[in-house]
């Protein structure tokens, strides 16, 4: 992946599946350009991304179906470049240019 | 964090953290391990018999899709010699099943399995849309739930299949254990096999089993993802209010704190069930000693495995209507099949024959105290397990049929030959009344 055009943003792909896409206007794949640093100047991590998604990408008012008690709701798996986010430091993982971050719900009918 | 190597092959990058033991595995090792564990469940419980025809209850969702894929893989890899077919139920709600049934049709092609889709209309003479037209939207989920409960068994009987497997996973079982305090029910819930006696007057037992019983929902979803399986995920059925504080939420929270908790709950459910050797006595003598009978199934529509297919509108309101306990109860009902044969691992197939009496569980401890038992018999009309003379489905059908508008009374569908329940209901009820029962 080429470096982003502007130094202060990073380009990533966010995907939703397992029914979660329904909270995001049925969008399964979302190319995103997000700030490289948060308000405090720290590098953007997954916690920031989750909050960013809630505020900018989620049209559905039922935020608690995605975020509960300040973190990704239990039952939603997060894969960072196909790896379980628990192997990557969970919310503290610092988002890199070109990352693919997948949120998949296990809570829907099967 | 630097990438960790796979704990098994020590070569590839680990992508999966297993909830049960925290091992880190690469994609290929995870897929193989997952399959091998299902194989172990199947062989250690003697779940399948060579030559057996097995219907996979298929909804197009993650669990049944993974089940179909894994069973196909294992049947070929280990030469089980079983014939696998797909069986789907269509409730007959316009638009509700369209996407999931399309998924099942694709799965049938992908896995080279024969697919049968049976509608409520074929099984009961009524689609849910027709039921709603007649009874209104209020209370129709009772019909939907009661009908769904029996649908797979009736469908299997129709196909001449004696064994139905469903995609219930460890999370499903754990949820049920958490919800069901009483011990006899625990036995049914945690058992991997149950049997439904004498469906549809054919006097054949339908064996129900859950090969994914020990598989974490998380791993099922990861398996589907890493194997790129084609499954249909549905709209969110859990209204936040219903989910918050529900047993399902509890399970997911437990898992986050201590990932092994789910299997611990399943196992403790099994252990408690062992304390109740008489837990399957409630079948009224129609079942074998070692395989718990499927419990009579009661109200509420849509279990977590089958619902959520909401295409908005009707079904959405139906499902919102569901109290969480009903969701859970239903859940349990689909999981029912329970047996203590898991501990036995007898040679040959799992004994499930009905009518065979005599206890095999000599080793089991004496019950500490007598627990109240529900007496189970069979529906006089359809033969389905019931604590009443006439099962709930037949009662509901009787009411529906009595009030059916004349012009729609045509029952010329082909299933009639085998399934007499629809026409048989009214006359059956009258007979009972005459007998003064
Ligand atoms: Zn490996
Ligand atoms: Zn009946």
């Amino acid at each position: 992946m080429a470096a982003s055009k502007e130094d202060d943003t990073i380009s990533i792909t966010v995907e939703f599946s397992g029914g979660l896409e329904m909270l995001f206007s049925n969008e399964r794949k979302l190319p995103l350009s997000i700030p490289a640093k948060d308000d405090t100047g720290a590098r953007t991590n997954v916690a920031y991304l989750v909050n960013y998604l809630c505020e900018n990408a989620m049209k559905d008012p039922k935020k608690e179906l995605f975020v509960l008690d300040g973190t990704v709701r239990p039952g939603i798996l997060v894969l960072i470049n196909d790896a379980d986010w628990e192997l990557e430091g969970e919310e503290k993982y610092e988002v890199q240019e070109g990352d693919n971050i997948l949120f998949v719900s296990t809570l829907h009918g099967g | 964090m630097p990438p960790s190597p796979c704990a098994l092959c020590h070569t590839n990058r680990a992508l999966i953290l297993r909830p049960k033991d925290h091992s880190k595995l690469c994609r290929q090792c995870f897929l193989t391990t997952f399959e091998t564990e299902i194989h172990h469940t199947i062989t250690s419980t003697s779940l399948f018999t060579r030559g057996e025809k097995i219907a996979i209850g298929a909804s197009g969702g993650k669990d049944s899709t993974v089940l179909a894929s894994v069973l196909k893989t294992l049947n070929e890899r280990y030469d089980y010699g079983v014939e696998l077919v797909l069986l789907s139920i269509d409730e007959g709600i316009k638009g509700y099943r369209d996407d999931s049934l399309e998924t099942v049709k694709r799965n049938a092609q992908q896995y080279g399995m024969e697919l049968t889709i049976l509608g409520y209309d074929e099984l009961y003479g009524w689609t849910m849309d027709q039921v709603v037209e007649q009874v209104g939207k209020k209370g129709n989920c009772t019909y939907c739930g009661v009908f769904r409960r029996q649908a797979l068994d009736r469908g299997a009987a129709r196909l001449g299949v004696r064994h139905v497997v469903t995609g219930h996973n460890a999370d499903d079982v754990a949820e049920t254990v958490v919800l069901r305090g009483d011990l006899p029910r625990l036995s049914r819930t945690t058992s991997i096999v149950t049997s439904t006696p004498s469906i549809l007057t054919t006097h054949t037992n339908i064996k129900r089993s859950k090969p994914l019983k020990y598989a974490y929902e998380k791993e099922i979803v990861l398996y589907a993802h890493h194997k790129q399986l084609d499954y249909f995920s549905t709209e969110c059925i859990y209204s936040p209010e219903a989910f918050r504080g529900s047993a399902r939420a509890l399970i997911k929270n437990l898992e986050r704190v201590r990932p092994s908790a789910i299997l611990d709950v399943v196992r403790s459910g099994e252990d408690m069930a062992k304390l109740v050797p008489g837990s399957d006595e409630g079948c009224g003598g129609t079942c074998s000693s070692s395989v718990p009978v499927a419990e009579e199934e009661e109200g509420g529509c849509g279990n977590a495995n089958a619902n959520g297919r909401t295409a908005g509108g009707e079904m959405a309101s139906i499902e919102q209507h569901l109290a969480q306990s009903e969701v859970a109860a239903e859940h349990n009902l689909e999981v029912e099949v329970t047996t203590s044969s898991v501990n036995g691992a007898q040679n040959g197939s799992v004994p499930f024959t009905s009518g065979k009496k005599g206890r095999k569980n000599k080793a089991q401890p004496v019950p500490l105290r007598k627990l109240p038992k529900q007496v189970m018999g069979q529906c006089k009309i359809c033969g389905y397990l019931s604590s009443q003379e006439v099962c709930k489905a037949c009662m509901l059908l009787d009411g529906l049929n009595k009030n059916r508008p004349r012009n729609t009374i045509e029952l010329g569908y082909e299933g009639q030959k085998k399934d007499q329940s629809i026409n048989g209901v009214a006359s059956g009820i009258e007979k009972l009344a005459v007998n003064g029962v």
Side-chain angles (χ1 to χ4, degrees), chain B residues 40-86:
Chain B
H40 179 75
T41 302
I42 290 166
T43 52
S44 66
T45 57
S46 309
L47 211 53
F48 299 161
T49 310
R50 178 167 290 276
E52 193 178 24
K53 188 172 179 181
I54 298 167
I56 300 168
S59 67
K62 59 179 163 46
D63 298 304
S64 58
T65 301
V66 165
L67 181 61
S69 171
V70 170
L71 289 187
K72 177 189 167 58
T73 300
L74 295 179
N75 193 29
E76 287 166 4
R77 183 179 299 160
Y78 298 102
D79 188 28
Y80 292 159
V82 295
E83 185 189 348
L84 300 164
V85 297
L86 299 172

Side-chain angles (χ1 to χ4, degrees), chain B residues 12-315:
Chain B
N12 301 324
R13 182 181 164 215
L15 292 179
I16 289 101
L17 180 70
R18 301 202 70 196
K20 68 193 283 186
D21 58 7
H22 266 94
S23 60
K24 300 172 182 175
L25 300 183
C26 73
R27 179 185 168 276
Q28 192 51 54
C29 290
F30 165 70
L31 294 178
T32 309
T33 304
F34 183 87
E35 289 157 0
T36 305
E37 288 182 0
I38 308 300
H39 171 62
H40 179 75
T41 302
I42 290 166
T43 52
S44 66
T45 57
S46 309
L47 211 53
F48 299 161
T49 310
R50 178 167 290 276
E52 193 178 24
K53 188 172 179 181
I54 298 167
I56 300 168
S59 67
K62 59 179 163 46
D63 298 304
S64 58
T65 301
V66 165
L67 181 61
S69 171
V70 170
L71 289 187
K72 177 189 167 58
T73 300
L74 295 179
N75 193 29
E76 287 166 4
R77 183 179 299 160
Y78 298 102
D79 188 28
Y80 292 159
V82 295
E83 185 189 348
L84 300 164
V85 297
L86 299 172
L87 172 59
S88 294
I89 302 299
D90 184 351
E91 294 87 349
I93 300 166
K94 210 170 189 321
Y96 176 59
R97 282 282 176 209
D98 294 357
D99 292 338
S100 51
L101 288 178
E102 282 313 306
T103 308
V104 177
K105 284 177 197 165
R106 287 196 304 275
N107 288 342
Q109 295 224 311
Q110 288 153 359
Y111 305 145
M113 292 177 191
E114 196 182 301
L115 164 67
T116 307
I117 300 173
L118 283 175
Y120 275 12
D121 52 345
E122 295 163 274
L123 293 170
Y124 301 106
W126 291 80
T127 66
M128 271 313 293
D129 282 342
Q130 290 168 336
V131 171
V132 169
E133 209 171 293
Q134 174 134 338
V135 306
K137 288 189 183 177
K138 236 185 191 172
N140 71 65
C141 42
T142 306
Y143 290 82
C144 192
V146 168
F147 290 170
R148 180 177 298 148
R149 235 51 68 44
Q150 291 187 8
L152 281 178
D153 289 333
R154 287 180 183 236
R158 182 79 67 87
L159 296 179
V161 176
R162 302 277 193 98
H163 190 170
V164 177
V165 291
T166 57
H168 291 96
N169 59 47
D171 293 54
D172 295 330
V173 177
E175 178 182 18
T176 315
V177 169
V178 166
L179 282 163
R180 295 291 186 180
D182 63 310
L183 294 180
R185 275 187 170 173
L186 268 181
S187 157
R188 288 190 288 263
T189 295
T190 53
S191 151
I192 193 162
V193 184
T194 53
S195 101
T196 303
S198 303
I199 286 290
L200 304 179
T201 73
T202 56
H203 300 288
T204 55
N205 261 57
I206 308 292
K207 173 180 169 183
R208 281 252 219 156
S209 66
K210 316 175 270 220
L212 302 183
K213 180 189 164 185
Y214 298 111
Y216 278 74
E217 189 160 60
K218 171 181 172 179
E219 295 202 346
I220 288 171
V221 171
L222 288 176
Y223 186 89
H225 171 76
H226 288 293
K227 225 179 167 201
Q228 294 178 301
L229 298 184
D230 179 10
Y231 72 95
F232 180 68
S233 38
T234 65
E235 289 188 42
C236 183
I237 54 142
Y238 298 105
S239 68
E241 310 81 64
F243 190 83
R244 198 186 288 272
S246 70
R248 196 61 160 200
L250 174 67
I251 295 297
K252 294 298 184 194
N253 283 318
L254 271 177
E255 182 184 23
R256 178 159 287 186
V257 179
R258 192 161 69 106
S260 64
I262 291 178
L263 275 186
D264 294 343
V265 171
V266 171
R267 296 244 148 78
S268 58
E270 289 171 350
D271 289 346
M272 285 190 279
K274 281 182 209 147
L275 294 172
V276 195
S279 63
D280 50 348
E281 278 173 6
C283 66
T286 52
C287 70
S288 86
S289 58
S290 57
V291 179
V293 240
E295 174 172 358
E296 184 182 16
E297 324 213 12
E298 41 198 67
C301 74
N303 67 45
N305 273 336
N307 72 4
R309 305 277 124 77
T310 310
E314 220 145 73
M315 209 57 196

